[in-house]
Amino acid sequence: MAGKDIQHISINHSASDHSKNTSMAADTNESHLLIIEDDQGRKEFPLEEPVYSIGRDRDCNIRLASQFVSRRHATLVRLPREHNSHSYYYRIVDGDAKGKPSANGLMVNGRKMPNHDLRNEDEIVFGPQVRAIYYLLRNTQRPGQTDSSEYDITLINPGMTEDLED
């Protein structure tokens, strides 16, 4: 019961603290991750290539295990961000690279969409019990900078130290 009074605080140095520092853009390292949940469980796919095919076909870069998913259900395309030449994003497009749509389409964050520019924690549903979560992970740590885990602090509510007689 006393565990409810403990708070965990992590002190981080964010990129916004240095937003006026133009060299910061070159130091920012982004990672893109797609976590798939299908009939075979959970799989993680770090995204680094310019194009990915997604579906149940053996030739797809990201294979989905479900009879409700099209052979070539969707395509992921990497595109550069306009404001930062060192950064890019992924767009998911329904169907194959030739423009043929999937049978059931894509649901992104609960809405059926022909395509969508992915943002952190977007949920993509390909069919019943087949979904993916996209993560954009940013590491703004510079060489020589300490890891923020060194500054983890556990705070204890002063009420926890009161006498048990009350």
Side-chain angles (χ1 to χ4, degrees):
M1 288 184 209
K4 292 180 184 177
D5 294 328
I6 296 176
Q7 293 179 329
H8 184 76
I9 296 177
S10 178
I11 300 171
N12 291 319
H13 300 284
S14 69
S16 62
D17 295 341
H18 308 285
S19 60
K20 295 185 181 175
N21 184 351
T22 56
S23 67
M24 188 69 182
D27 295 332
T28 301
N29 183 18
E30 294 180 341
S31 300
H32 302 261
L33 180 66
L34 193 67
I35 299 179
I36 302 280
E37 293 179 17
D38 62 13
D39 292 350
Q40 292 181 342
R42 178 184 157 134
K43 295 173 268 188
E44 294 184 6
F45 294 90
L47 303 175
E48 298 171 355
E49 299 299 321
V51 177
Y52 289 90
S53 57
I54 303 172
R56 63 180 164 84
D57 191 277
R58 289 178 188 249
D59 294 333
C60 285
N61 305 111
I62 299 174
R63 287 190 65 198
L64 302 175
S66 172
Q67 64 184 8
F68 299 107
V69 172
S70 295
R71 284 186 195 91
R72 300 238 177 218
H73 200 101
T75 306
L76 271 178
V77 181
R78 184 175 70 192
L79 300 167
R81 293 193 194 278
E82 291 178 19
H83 65 278
N84 185 347
S85 62
H86 299 288
S87 181
Y88 57 88
Y89 65 98
Y90 278 92
R91 175 178 293 160
I92 190 161
V93 180
D94 181 39
D96 65 14
K98 296 175 184 172
K100 181 183 176 190
S102 66
N104 295 324
L106 290 175
M107 295 278 289
V108 181
N109 299 326
R111 299 178 67 194
K112 192 166 186 168
M113 303 184 122
N115 62 63
H116 179 74
D117 294 344
L118 292 172
R119 293 182 306 254
N120 189 42
E121 296 185 10
D122 277 349
E123 178 185 42
I124 305 119
V125 176
F126 299 96
Q129 300 178 342
V130 182
R131 69 182 198 123
I133 305 281
Y134 167 80
Y135 291 98
L136 172 58
L137 309 169
R138 289 191 171 108
N139 178 10
T140 56
Q141 188 168 334
R142 294 177 301 229
Q145 186 178 5
T146 58
D147 184 47
S148 64
S149 65
E150 290 184 33
Y151 300 107
D152 283 355
I153 301 170
T154 301
L155 298 177
I156 300 174
N157 185 336
M160 290 176 52
T161 61
E162 292 179 5
D163 293 336
L164 297 174
E165 296 174 354
D166 293 332

